[in-house]
Amino acid sequence: MRMISAVRHFIPITATTLIYYHLNLKEVTFHLYLVPNDCTIRKAINDEEKMSQFIRINKPPPVDSLYIGSRYIVSCSKKLEIIPKELELCYRSPGESQLFSEIYVGHMGSGIKLKIRDKKHMNLIWEALLKPGDLRPTSPMSAETHKDAPALQHFLDQHREQLVARVTSVDPLLDKLHGLVLNEEDYEAVRAEATNQGKMRKLFSLSRSWTRANKDQVYQALKETHPHLIRELHEKSSSISLGS
């Protein structure tokens, strides 16, 4: 598909939608993906969303075939924050970040209807009704025994030692975090350390004040600057889980 980009708009493919939610008290955040129906891409998205404690909701996928490179508009039956409102159906490798729309809902009420339309012709290509009954108050993992408790840890907490030892390009990582997780003072303090390991230790020393959203931002920056390392650590976690 990458090699024949000139004609990709004319090649229909089977696509799927993936919806995940995170319930925090009465507030709900949804992540909506429109991606090629590829099992490796679905697994990569599932793994990443699970690390952030997002839970998938099963809804039917689009019925008709769609086109790589085409753009689609996400809308809702209620006036909600949808960022971004436009998604491109593109083929990214499982190791890359996949595109999604984030939808914030202050109160579910009787439910909301999501729709995706073809931007060019505004044809309806997919819709789904999200009901309060689709949302479980807690993650299924919370009911597991204590031996599974480490799975509730954030990726950064699980792999802190490996990240300190093996992240080699710290300055590009800090540049991505500057203004998001790090203020100017913290940014300069981390950069002042003489070695990469020293910088990573200093960065993690600041994590006591991070929210889970902050940790998600650090994880995303690590995934962009050190994709092979993050993929390897994910695979190691999966093999340990299966072995137990």
Side-chain angles (χ1 to χ4, degrees):
M1 291 302 296
R2 297 186 186 92
M3 293 175 65
I4 54 176
S5 58
V7 296
R8 62 184 181 175
H9 289 276
F10 304 99
I11 301 177
I13 68 163
T14 302
T16 190
T17 50
L18 301 174
I19 311 174
Y20 300 84
Y21 74 91
H22 186 272
L23 182 60
N24 182 18
L25 298 178
K26 294 184 178 180
E27 299 178 347
V28 188
T29 301
F30 293 99
H31 289 172
L32 173 62
Y33 294 81
L34 178 64
V35 293
N37 192 14
D38 182 311
C39 61
T40 58
I41 294 176
R42 294 199 310 270
K43 183 180 185 305
I45 293 173
N46 278 328
D47 290 344
E48 183 162 349
E49 291 290 344
K50 190 174 181 181
M51 291 304 303
S52 300
Q53 293 189 330
F54 274 70
I55 303 172
R56 183 179 172 187
I57 301 175
N58 287 319
K59 295 293 179 180
V63 175
D64 298 325
S65 296
L66 305 179
Y67 295 85
I68 290 290
S70 295
R71 293 180 175 273
Y72 298 89
I73 304 298
V74 180
S75 63
C76 186
S77 58
K78 295 183 179 180
K79 189 175 181 180
L80 301 176
E81 289 289 338
I82 304 176
I83 304 175
K85 294 183 178 179
E86 184 176 314
L87 290 176
E88 178 184 0
L89 179 60
C90 57
Y91 201 106
R92 295 188 171 191
S93 69
E96 297 179 89
S97 298
Q98 305 295 327
L99 303 178
F100 67 89
S101 289
E102 184 171 70
I103 304 162
Y104 170 76
V105 183
H107 178 62
M108 279 290 288
S110 59
I112 58 175
K113 182 176 287 187
L114 291 178
K115 297 181 180 181
I116 300 179
R117 295 181 182 273
D118 173 16
K119 182 180 180 181
K120 186 175 182 180
H121 302 291
M122 292 307 291
N123 296 327
L124 181 66
I125 61 105
W126 176 86
E127 64 178 340
L129 177 63
L130 304 180
K131 308 179 296 295
D134 290 326
L135 311 184
R136 294 175 299 228
T138 58
S139 168
M141 291 189 297
S142 64
E144 298 294 331
T145 58
H146 67 278
K147 70 176 182 179
D148 293 322
L152 295 173
Q153 284 186 311
H154 196 278
F155 181 89
L156 299 186
D157 300 318
Q158 290 184 53
H159 302 286
R160 176 170 180 157
E161 183 177 348
Q162 287 289 327
L163 292 171
V164 168
R166 299 179 60 186
V167 170
T168 55
S169 300
V170 183
D171 286 348
L173 172 66
L174 299 179
D175 290 339
K176 287 184 176 294
L177 298 177
H178 185 254
L180 291 176
V181 177
L182 301 177
N183 58 32
E184 188 67 30
E185 182 180 352
D186 291 338
Y187 174 80
E188 294 297 340
V190 177
R191 288 200 66 207
E193 295 292 326
T195 65
N196 286 326
Q197 289 189 1
K199 291 177 180 179
M200 289 302 293
R201 289 193 183 95
K202 182 66 175 179
L203 179 63
F204 273 108
S205 73
L206 303 172
S207 66
R208 300 183 190 93
S209 63
W210 291 348
T211 64
R212 190 168 191 91
N214 293 147
K215 292 183 179 181
D216 289 344
Q217 291 172 314
V218 176
Y219 167 79
Q220 186 61 40
L222 281 165
K223 190 175 179 182
E224 293 173 6
T225 56
H226 296 76
H228 300 295
L229 172 59
I230 300 305
R231 191 178 309 121
E232 178 187 330
L233 294 177
H234 269 302
E235 291 172 353
K236 179 184 291 187
S237 296
S238 298
S239 63
I240 292 173
S241 177
L242 290 171
S244 63

